[in-house]
Amino acid sequence: MKRAVLVTGGNAGIGFALCRQLAAEHNCTVYMGARNAERGKLAIAKIKDAHPKADVKLTIMDVSSDESVSAAAKTLSDIKLYAVVNNAGVGLGSAASVGQLIETNLFGPKRVTEAFVSNLDKKEGRVVNVSSGVAAMWLRDKSDAIKNMFTNADTTWDELKSVVAKLAPTSSRGGYGISKAALNCLTLQQAKKWPNLTITALTPGFINTRMTKGYGAKLTPEQGTVSMIKCLFGKVTSSHYYGSDGLRSPLTVTRDPGMPEYGGE
């Protein structure tokens, strides 16, 4: 059966690698989310040049904009989706302000998921939130109260939003770590809200993309899709967070590939 998957930020980096793999190797219809039509068309052409039968369609969408996401959802209103991959993000080397970073990395996955949740298969549907190991780096030194808030499914959206607004302006790495820690918490909230869906978060690893330029990342975007593919098609548990090797990882301590799989609650 051919499955339809929406990938935000799909025209470059890890998102592009995932779109190519889904269309060429997993027999999926891919809706490639891109902010810019020209860049999106070039990315699709690149995939089709290498894989003429690839079924990839452009979806113009800026995840930081309510209007843009709503327009994209309207365009795809009749499409039944197997999965939504919230891949679009900014940070590390980005010149984005803290506000822009939070709007994209945290509010973006929230608005996209809510806009497309009605499109998702009611029994098999999946949501994959692309987080980062930097989330645990930020959270590991915080107070027990903050750790509990960011790792508890009972934390409300308003509580999460409030503490992010308070802490983000002075957080390390321009707010990148807290934005991804909050995304992990959002994943817990979403999994609780939609128990019929499989909703997970993951880190792709330290991948050499435009976002990490100058930071010494050496893994290719193609190597950054391991946990994405696992969370899309493998045996995973909703609400859990997975490492770059596809194994479950903790939210408050970094776990590198090769270390034992996390088995906590």
Side-chain angles (χ1 to χ4, degrees):
M1 179 182 68
K2 198 166 190 177
R3 291 165 163 165
V5 180
L6 170 66
V7 181
T8 67
N11 62 288
I14 304 170
F16 174 80
L18 179 65
C19 287
R20 189 205 65 77
Q21 290 176 10
L22 291 176
E25 301 170 15
H26 295 274
N27 191 35
C28 290
T29 296
V30 179
Y31 292 89
M32 177 190 284
R35 289 184 299 173
N36 180 280
E38 183 178 353
R39 288 197 291 266
K41 290 176 182 177
L42 287 173
I44 290 176
K46 186 175 180 180
I47 291 175
K48 290 191 173 183
D49 282 347
H51 311 282
K53 295 183 179 180
D55 188 4
V56 188
K57 306 175 189 299
L58 180 62
T59 300
I60 301 300
M61 179 167 37
D62 178 353
V63 304
S64 69
S65 164
D66 288 334
E67 294 76 14
S68 180
V69 172
S70 294
K74 186 175 181 180
T75 300
L76 300 182
S77 61
D78 295 330
I79 303 299
K80 182 178 180 180
L81 294 172
Y82 165 70
V84 171
V85 181
N86 286 307
N87 168 73
V90 295
L92 292 181
S94 170
S97 67
V98 173
Q100 291 170 325
L101 189 148
I102 298 298
E103 193 66 49
T104 301
N105 293 358
L106 175 59
F107 285 77
K110 183 176 188 293
R111 63 170 56 92
V112 170
T113 301
E114 291 177 353
F116 287 93
V117 69
S118 61
N119 297 65
L120 285 166
D121 186 290
K122 299 299 184 290
K123 294 183 178 179
E124 295 185 341
R126 299 195 180 196
V127 176
V128 178
N129 292 323
V130 180
S131 184
S132 170
V134 180
M137 294 179 189
W138 177 83
L139 193 54
R140 65 189 175 191
D141 297 324
K142 299 298 178 288
S143 67
D144 288 343
I146 292 297
K147 286 180 180 178
N148 182 65
M149 171 174 281
F150 278 78
T151 59
N152 192 333
D154 292 328
T155 298
T156 68
W157 170 248
D158 285 342
E159 289 171 340
L160 181 64
K161 183 171 63 172
S162 177
V163 75
V164 168
K166 179 181 179 180
L167 298 180
T170 57
S171 291
S172 59
R173 295 180 176 86
Y176 182 74
I178 190 175
S179 75
K180 294 300 188 177
L183 177 58
N184 291 343
C185 184
L186 175 66
T187 302
L188 300 176
Q189 295 172 358
Q190 291 177 333
K192 182 179 179 180
K193 183 175 183 179
W194 295 297
N196 59 306
L197 303 175
T198 299
I199 303 178
T200 55
L202 62 86
T203 174
F206 195 30
I207 309 302
N208 185 14
T209 66
R210 184 173 55 191
M211 183 186 294
T212 59
K213 186 176 182 180
Y215 285 84
K218 295 178 181 176
L219 297 177
T220 67
E222 292 283 335
Q223 292 174 301
T225 63
V226 172
S227 52
M228 291 178 164
I229 296 298
K230 171 72 176 287
C231 287
L232 280 170
F233 304 115
K235 185 177 180 180
V236 292
T237 301
S238 193
S239 83
H240 286 181
Y241 168 77
Y242 291 86
S244 60
D245 55 1
L247 300 182
R248 189 187 175 196
S249 298
L251 294 176
T252 59
V253 180
T254 55
R255 179 197 153 273
D256 295 325
M259 294 176 66
E261 183 167 24
Y262 176 64
E265 295 297 326

